[in-house]
Structures are given as C-alpha cells and as structure tokens.
Amino acid sequence: MPYVDRQNRICGFLDIEENESSGKFLRRYFILDTQPGSLVWYMDNPQNLPISADCVGSLKLTYISKVSDATKQRPKAEYCFVINAGMRKFFLQANDQQDLVDWVNALNKATKITVPKSYDGQHNVETQKALLDNLVPKKQVSYRTDIIGGVPIITQMQERGEGQEGSERELLQRSHNQLPYFLGRPTQDKTVIKSGYCVKQGAVMRNWKRRYFLLEENSMSYFKSDLEKDPLRIIPLKEVHKVQECKQSDIMMRDNLFEVVTTSRTFYIQADSPEEMHSWIKAVSGAIVALRGPGRSAATSSCDSE
C-alpha cells in the first residue's frame, strides 16, 4: 500500500505500462507530491539510487482528468487502474486490491480541483504540446541498468543505445510485482517463513544495496538476488538479540528502517513500506519465539538511544 514519507509525499511501488498499448508493465517507484503538483516515477526508491539519478517519467497533476479502476479495460492485468491525462492513458498495476483503491483515491483527491480550463484553440494546442513533452520519459544516458533477479541495479556509464536498454526493460516484468513475497529460487526441503527484497547497509562502506532476504526456521540469510543459490551471509537466529523498528531512521535519512541486532553486528534493513517493515519484524520475532520458546524471544520495542 502507498505510504506517506518524511516529506509528506505519497510513495510506493507500482507497475506501469510506459509504452502505451504495449502490454508490458515495468516496476517503478512512484511519488505523488502535491506541493509542486506532480506524479513522478523512478527506477527504484530514490534513497537507493545515485544522488544525480533523475526520474524516468513525470506527469503534472493539472493534466489528469480522472483516475479509475481498469479491470474491464485490461482483464488480463491484475489490480489495474488507469490515469486519463489529455490524449494519453496510463495503465498501472497495484500490488493488491487495497493498494489499487488507495492509489486511485489518493490521485483523484490530489487532482480533483486541478483540471485546466480550455479557453481557445491556441490554448488547447499549447496545452497538448506541453503535455506530450512532459509525458515523455527522461532518458537515462549516464547510467547502466542491470536487472538482477528482477531488481534494477544502476551503475554509471557512458551513453548507450535504445536496443540494449529495451532488452533490459523486458526482463523487469510482473514477477517483481509480488515483492517482497516473490520467491524465484527453489527452496528445496527448507521451510521458508518469509522472503523478499529489502535494502541493507554494508558493514564496511556503509553504502545501501538491495538484497534478497530469506527467513527460515533457524536463520535469516540474504543473497544478491533471488536467482542466487549461495547466500552472501547467514544470520543464525540464536545469535539475534533484538529485531525492532529503528528511531535512528531520521538520522540515517531512511524510511521504513528496522534493525536486527546480533552478538557481533547490527544489521540495518530498509523495507519498501511501513507494512512490510512491521511484517518483517513480526516474522523474525515469531521465528525466534518458535526457536527459543516463549519468554526467550528477541525484544521488539523501539531501539534505545546510545
């Protein structure tokens, strides 16, 4: 579901059909900001991208006339809704029915009094021209996007052609929409309690990277992607002292941040939404209770200031 970030903007992941009538939906991170009156979308949460990374698409709220459920228009696209903006229709897919309802209501509320009036023919032409200019996604010419396990990894590079970029985009399909519950790698005989992508802070460089997390009965591990067989690290649950929401998220400039405190290290992990953050905390805490027994679980209170 969309959530409100520290700047009072509505944010969340959606899939968008960037090329009209293509039927191909790409995973994007959306920000609805009523202050400048715009809806913008990025390859990933901007907190996880290089500082100079720009949005890949934007739409002024003044051009949106209506946002509605598009189930009948796109019966094969689950949880689909449409944004009507001038001569263009944007079809998007939400994560579930409640996510769809929340986004439709939020967009309609933000745009209900911003529909421009048409005064004459010249005004209409100028308006449509401005709309078309605004709707064209901005080209990412200074970064390379590698899709690893359905996750966009951006690195700086020289300008490249549309052919390469198009082949990469085709890999970012609907499967990524199931995050953080999508599990592409077979689990064999192990019991998986929860799985999905989060962003974690590195131990040495203190940089933030998107990793695939897997919570099992005795451990929590993370991988480069859901296609990898060997984990980058395994965290035994018996070594976990605390799992909790972190109040230092304001200092670290991270939303939806929680921490897993072990004997040797504190792991700072960022979920995609407040709901997912609490879901991970609850899942890890439950696994610890099952492993150690009642009364010996890891603490789940707010982190203490040190």
Side-chain angles (χ1 to χ4, degrees):
M1 292 185 289
Y3 70 95
V4 180
D5 68 2
R6 67 183 73 250
Q7 298 180 48
N8 202 34
R9 304 176 302 180
I10 297 176
C11 308
F13 281 98
L14 293 167
D15 290 356
I16 181 172
E17 185 185 51
E18 290 189 335
N19 297 321
E20 193 170 7
S21 302
S22 67
K24 295 180 179 180
F25 288 80
L26 303 176
R27 190 73 168 174
R28 297 289 183 252
Y29 185 84
F30 283 76
I31 298 177
L32 173 59
D33 194 346
T34 56
Q35 192 64 32
S38 62
L39 176 68
V40 296
W41 52 97
Y42 295 80
M43 291 291 294
D44 193 4
N45 187 327
Q47 295 179 353
N48 307 328
L49 298 175
I51 297 177
S52 58
D54 204 351
C55 63
V56 295
S58 64
L59 178 60
K60 289 187 178 296
L61 300 183
T62 52
Y63 295 128
I64 299 177
S65 59
K66 184 180 179 182
V67 184
S68 58
D69 190 310
T71 304
K72 294 183 179 180
Q73 294 173 265
R74 294 295 178 85
K76 294 184 179 181
E78 194 174 19
Y79 310 124
C80 186
F81 64 97
V82 60
I83 297 177
N84 292 276
M87 296 183 297
R88 173 73 192 272
K89 290 185 177 181
F90 287 85
F91 288 91
L92 302 100
Q93 286 181 288
N95 298 304
D96 53 43
Q97 185 61 35
Q98 187 60 53
D99 192 38
L100 184 153
V101 172
D102 289 345
W103 272 109
V104 170
N105 289 340
L107 287 166
N108 277 325
K109 181 179 179 181
T111 61
K112 63 181 179 180
I113 59 173
T114 59
V115 179
K117 296 180 180 180
S118 298
Y119 298 104
D120 51 45
Q122 180 62 31
H123 177 82
N124 288 338
V125 171
E126 293 176 354
T127 298
Q128 295 295 345
K129 183 178 183 299
L131 172 62
L132 291 175
D133 290 342
N134 188 70
L135 296 182
V136 176
K138 299 179 181 180
K139 293 181 63 178
Q140 300 287 313
V141 296
S142 58
Y143 293 90
R144 183 181 77 245
T145 303
D146 296 319
I147 307 302
I148 303 177
V151 181
I153 306 299
I154 299 178
T155 54
Q156 190 171 1
M157 63 166 291
Q158 297 179 350
E159 185 173 354
R160 58 191 296 168
E162 290 293 332
Q164 290 172 291
E165 183 178 351
S167 63
E168 290 170 347
R169 287 182 177 178
E170 291 179 0
L171 295 175
L172 190 57
Q173 297 297 323
R174 180 64 181 173
S175 61
H176 192 49
N177 182 56
Q178 302 301 323
L179 295 180
Y181 300 108
F182 173 69
L183 181 61
R185 182 171 42 79
T187 59
Q188 299 178 352
D189 297 331
K190 295 183 179 180
T191 301
V192 176
I193 300 173
K194 186 174 177 62
S195 61
Y197 284 92
C198 291
V199 177
K200 65 170 287 295
Q201 186 184 58
V204 180
M205 300 299 294
R206 300 297 180 186
N207 55 342
W208 296 83
K209 293 184 178 181
R210 200 163 181 83
R211 295 293 184 232
Y212 184 80
F213 284 79
L214 193 66
L215 175 62
E216 298 170 311
E217 293 178 335
N218 301 312
S219 66
M220 183 179 186
S221 53
Y222 56 88
F223 306 73
K224 278 191 175 182
S225 77
D226 62 291
L227 300 179
E228 297 290 329
K229 294 182 179 180
D230 299 321
L232 295 173
R233 182 160 187 156
I234 298 176
I235 308 171
L237 294 184
K238 64 181 181 180
E239 296 182 5
V240 177
H241 300 311
K242 295 180 181 179
V243 52
Q244 60 195 7
E245 181 176 356
C246 185
K247 289 183 178 179
Q248 296 182 35
S249 59
D250 288 337
I251 300 176
M252 302 176 79
M253 296 300 292
R254 293 273 157 176
D255 295 315
N256 317 317
L257 190 68
F258 66 99
E259 60 183 12
V260 177
V261 182
T262 70
T263 305
S264 58
R265 174 183 168 187
T266 296
F267 295 85
Y268 294 101
I269 305 171
Q270 181 187 20
D272 287 342
S273 69
E275 292 79 13
E276 275 309 306
M277 176 190 69
H278 292 300
S279 177
W280 274 107
I281 292 174
K282 182 178 180 180
V284 177
S285 299
I288 293 173
V289 170
L291 179 65
R292 302 178 182 176
R296 302 183 63 189
S297 60
T300 57
S301 60
S302 298
C303 61
D304 300 324
S305 58
E306 297 180 349

